[in-house]
Amino acid sequence: MGVAFSRLLQTIRLQRDAFIWMDFNDRATGDAMLFVALTRFLILLGGGWTILGLTTNLRGLEILLAALINAVIFWLAYAGLAYGVVRFLFQEGGTYAVYLRMTGFAYPTLLLVIFTARLGIADVAALTLGSVWFLVIIARGITYESDLPTERAAIAAVLAFAVWVIVSSILNRGLI
C-alpha cells in the first residue's frame, strides 16, 4: 500500500509518472477503489460521525453503506462518462480501466471539504475547491491517456462532471 500512497501523492501533484504507473499497473484499480472508500469514510468522520456511531447501530451502518455505495457508483459512472466523452465526442483512445484508476486516485481531493469546513469556509466553496482539483487531475490524466490537448481534456473532464450532475439529479442521488 506504500506504493499506492506514493503514487497518490504524485497524482495530487499532477506528476506524469503516476499516470504512466496507472496505465501499466492493473493492481492500481484495486488501490483506486480503496482510495474512494477510504475517502468517503474519512468524509463521514470529518462530518461528525464516530467510528462507533457508524458501526455499532443500524442507522450508522445504513449511512456508512449508503455513503460507500454512493461513492462507488460515482467512481464507476464518472470514469465511464469521462471515457465516453473522450472516446465518442473527441474521437480519441484510451481504456476504461485507466479512467477508473485516474478517477479513484483523484477522489481523495474531495477531503478538502473536511479541511475547509474547519477553516469556516462554506460547504459549497469547499466542495467547489475539491471538485476543481479533482477535475484538474482528471484533465491531466486524460491528456496522458488520450493525447488530447490540455484544453480539450479539461472540457472533457468538466463535461463528464456536468453529465454526472444532470443524471444524478434526475435519479435523485447524491452528487459525489
Side-chain angles (χ1 to χ4, degrees), residues 114-135:
I114 296 170
F115 298 113
T116 53
R118 299 288 179 222
L119 298 173
I121 297 174
D123 290 341
V124 173
L127 188 58
T128 301
L129 287 172
S131 298
V132 167
W133 194 3
F134 172 85
L135 293 172

Side-chain angles (χ1 to χ4, degrees), residues 48-67:
W49 283 92
T50 64
I51 293 174
L52 289 176
L54 288 170
T55 58
T56 58
N57 64 59
L58 190 56
R59 178 69 179 142
L61 286 171
E62 184 181 319
I63 287 173
L64 177 61
L65 186 60

Side-chain angles (χ1 to χ4, degrees), residues 2-173:
V3 171
F5 279 108
S6 74
R7 295 302 180 178
L8 175 62
L9 290 175
Q10 287 179 331
T11 303
I12 289 170
R13 292 183 294 206
L14 304 174
Q15 293 177 337
R16 183 176 164 88
D17 288 349
F19 298 104
I20 293 169
W21 177 79
M22 285 180 222
D23 193 8
F24 293 105
N25 189 346
D26 291 341
R27 188 178 76 85
T29 305
D31 294 337
M33 185 177 73
L34 286 174
F35 284 134
V36 169
L38 182 62
T39 299
R40 179 55 82 169
F41 182 71
L42 291 174
I43 289 172
L44 285 173
L45 292 179
W49 283 92
T50 64
I51 293 174
L52 289 176
L54 288 170
T55 58
T56 58
N57 64 59
L58 190 56
R59 178 69 179 142
L61 286 171
E62 184 181 319
I63 287 173
L64 177 61
L65 186 60
L68 292 174
I69 290 171
N70 187 339
V72 170
I73 288 172
F74 171 79
W75 174 55
L76 295 170
Y78 180 81
L81 290 168
Y83 171 76
V85 167
V86 171
R87 180 84 171 111
F88 300 111
L89 187 62
F90 292 112
Q91 301 293 313
E92 293 293 337
T95 62
Y96 176 66
V98 175
Y99 281 80
L100 271 176
R101 296 171 197 148
M102 289 186 303
T103 304
F105 275 78
Y107 198 82
T109 59
L110 299 176
L111 288 172
L112 277 176
V113 171
I114 296 170
F115 298 113
T116 53
R118 299 288 179 222
L119 298 173
I121 297 174
D123 290 341
V124 173
L127 188 58
T128 301
L129 287 172
S131 298
V132 167
W133 194 3
F134 172 85
L135 293 172
V136 167
I137 291 171
I138 297 298
R140 174 75 169 118
I142 290 172
T143 299
Y144 165 76
E145 177 65 11
S146 302
D147 293 327
L148 275 176
T150 303
E151 301 80 26
R152 294 180 94 194
I155 290 169
V158 170
L159 187 57
F161 193 76
V163 171
W164 167 255
V165 169
I166 292 167
V167 169
S168 67
S169 295
I170 291 170
L171 298 176
N172 198 23
R173 301 281 185 219

